[in-house]
Amino acid sequence: MSKVRVLCFSLSLDGFAAGPEQSLEDPNGIGGLDVHEWFFPTATFQQLLYGKETGTTGIDNDFAARGIQNIGAWILGRNMFGPVRGPWPDEHWKGWWGENPPFHTPVFVLTHHARAPIAMAGGTTFHFVTEGIHAALERARAAAGGMDVRLGGGVATVQQYLRAGLVDELHLAFAPVLLGSGESLFSGINMRSLGYRCVEHVATDKATHVVLRKT
């Protein structure tokens, strides 16, 4: 069976994935983009988002590249898809990433409000799941065809899957910054009691990469 993996999930040293006061203009909150500074310059990111054949190589890029290997489907919380709350007012909003999102697979978006699938350029199709996390995972696994399912976030979505015992592996990238407040991944979560152990850790100038796996 395919694995459920959290990959390239950036955090501050104090455990926040996004800063405070998130908004349409500042979706990562105050200082939130700082936790991704290890990822943005990598050759993998530059290729995924901009189609460029440039970018940095080395350990950070190795982890970025691992984040897309053997991924057949994604699951996102609704906040990761966009800022719209409540019932969909129209079909205008199609995600943060423009016409060619960086997923290139089926993406299953958790929501309480139904919406027709959206087929985008590059092989990404957004499917909106109103039946909860287990239904989303079942559909994602079917779409992945034996490949792994990447759980993209945000924090609340990752926490739901952790509490349900459905996450096989997490790659967390701790940036050398402090946010002070925001979206805390470990709030109310006891990773040790859930059975996770650190199986890999390596530091670069821009991040400390930690891989947690159920043992």
Side-chain angles (χ1 to χ4, degrees), residues 130-172:
T130 59
E131 299 88 359
I133 64 171
H134 292 87
L137 180 54
E138 182 178 353
R139 292 181 60 183
R141 277 192 163 134
M147 300 174 73
D148 292 339
V149 174
R150 179 166 168 176
L151 183 57
V155 164
T157 297
V158 173
Q159 288 181 335
Q160 288 183 71
Y161 278 94
L162 284 171
R163 291 190 179 104
L166 296 172
V167 181
D168 297 295
E169 180 181 288
L170 302 93
H171 160 226
L172 308 176

Side-chain angles (χ1 to χ4, degrees), residues 22 57 72 74 99 105 126 133 139 147 149 151 154 158 173 209:
Q22 293 170 270
T57 58
W74 285 63
E99 293 300 319
T105 70
F126 293 110
I133 64 171
R139 292 181 60 183
M147 300 174 73
V149 174
L151 183 57
V158 173
H209 299 278

Side-chain angles (χ1 to χ4, degrees), residues 48-50 81 91-105 107 115 117-126:
L48 278 176
L49 202 63
Y50 303 117
F81 175 74
E91 302 297 310
H92 175 71
W93 184 264
K94 296 182 180 180
W96 296 107
W97 308 274
E99 293 300 319
N100 189 1
F103 306 103
H104 309 300
T105 70
V107 179
R115 182 173 175 177
I118 306 173
M120 308 291 287
T124 299
T125 299
F126 293 110

